[in-house]
Amino acid sequence: MSFYAAPIAKLIDELSKLPGVGSKTAQRLAFHILNMPSGEVEQLSGAIISAKRNIKHCRICCNITDSEVCSICGNPKRDEGLICVVEDPKDVVAMERTREYKGMYHVLNGAISPMEGIGPEEIRIKELLKRLGQQEVKEIILATNPNIEGEATAMYISRLIKPMGIKVTRIAHGIPVGGDLEYADEVTLMKAMEGRREV
Amino acid sequence: MSFYAAPIAKLIDELSKLPGVGSKTAQRLAFHILNMPSGEVEQLSGAIISAKRNIKHCRICCNITDSEVCSICGNPKRDEGLICVVEDPKDVVAMERTREYKGMYHVLNGAISPMEGIGPEEIRIKELLKRLGQQEVKEIILATNPNIEGEATAMYISRLIKPMGIKVTRIAHGIPVGGDLEYADEVTLMKAMEGRREV
């Protein structure tokens, strides 16, 4: 039983469905919303609906976008011969922040995870293969996450693509810049040693 | 510059205005919202607007409600002679959870805080005095928070009301039930000693 009036109880209930938002946080957010100016509340509510309605997947790279083709795929200055395969739209943003990479992306929107029942059909691998049939690609860079699911996904894709005669590379694993050897885990340290390069 | 499409950048921006929501959390929430079923997204968006539009302050006790008079003020079984003064609608809910108190409430919607520029006129003290002129009240229980602002507010109200011949009490301060003397701060312990009762 809730001691709040119905509209506020409903708002607390809806907010507490969000990830990382428990009942105390939902209550705090709800009261904040009640105290916000009406205009700002409408902006927030409208932004939620608008994002859900207007965001779709890019026809080419499967990244999220509000147009048919995303701004990266639609940019003629980017190198079409290079495709960086990532799990998530957030990974594209992380990569773009480096301002170094000038190729294209392919967003899988997930990773193969038998534990969660996600097989190769559930993620956008088919779309990647279709792209490779339609355009000249020199190199596929596998930038899935360095965990079990990401490694399995990278392995699966490389086995599919290598026989097509396309160069397939995997991003380097190692000690993060600014990191400390002392706090690195064994696997990372081992990968860093394996990947050592002549200076 | 944002690397996201406009609707999602806007949503992240709006979410990050909420208290305790930084840019990383806003991003995580925004992607969660994109992956929610459309029906649920509309429920969330609608609940935000509806709470803001339909919630107002009770004409009598200034608690938040969706009707003219809140469910507590409108309940004929509650004792009209007893008013518990709290800072916040959340405090009413906390008090109601005890299922012991059967009197009325008065919600100040804040506390006197010279540091934040909140004077007695900014909170609902006038409305409390108006109530006292209109109905027979035997006792005012001051249940503002046991911090500087809450104490100052309690002190201010008691000085206004005592001359009217109404009994004014303050909730007890002491060691919380299940708490440990060892971890109690000096002020709480001092208050607990001061408030000791014969057994």
Side-chain angles (χ1 to χ4, degrees), chain B residues 132-148:
Chain B
L132 299 182
Q134 288 168 344
Q135 68 188 79
E136 188 75 40
V137 176
K138 291 189 301 288
E139 183 178 348
I140 296 283
I141 303 167
L142 298 172
T144 52
N145 289 327
N147 52 27
I148 297 174

Side-chain angles (χ1 to χ4, degrees), chain B residues 3 9 13 15 21 37 93 110 126 132 138 148 160 163 187 194:
Chain B
F3 296 102
D13 182 47
L15 288 170
V21 178
V93 172
K126 257 195 324 286
L132 299 182
K138 291 189 301 288
I148 297 174
L160 280 178
V187 182
E194 276 175 19

Side-chain angles (χ1 to χ4, degrees), chain B residues 126-189:
Chain B
K126 257 195 324 286
E127 286 82 350
L128 176 61
L129 297 179
K130 211 177 108 197
R131 274 177 90 173
L132 299 182
Q134 288 168 344
Q135 68 188 79
E136 188 75 40
V137 176
K138 291 189 301 288
E139 183 178 348
I140 296 283
I141 303 167
L142 298 172
T144 52
N145 289 327
N147 52 27
I148 297 174
E149 292 80 15
E151 291 296 348
T153 309
M155 187 68 76
Y156 182 90
I157 295 175
S158 73
R159 282 194 189 154
L160 280 178
I161 295 177
K162 266 193 173 167
M164 299 164 79
I166 297 168
K167 183 176 170 190
V168 180
T169 57
R170 178 92 176 99
I171 49 161
H173 298 332
I175 310 292
V177 177
D180 198 318
L181 276 193
E182 191 181 341
Y183 301 117
D185 64 289
E186 292 82 355
V187 182
T188 300
L189 209 48

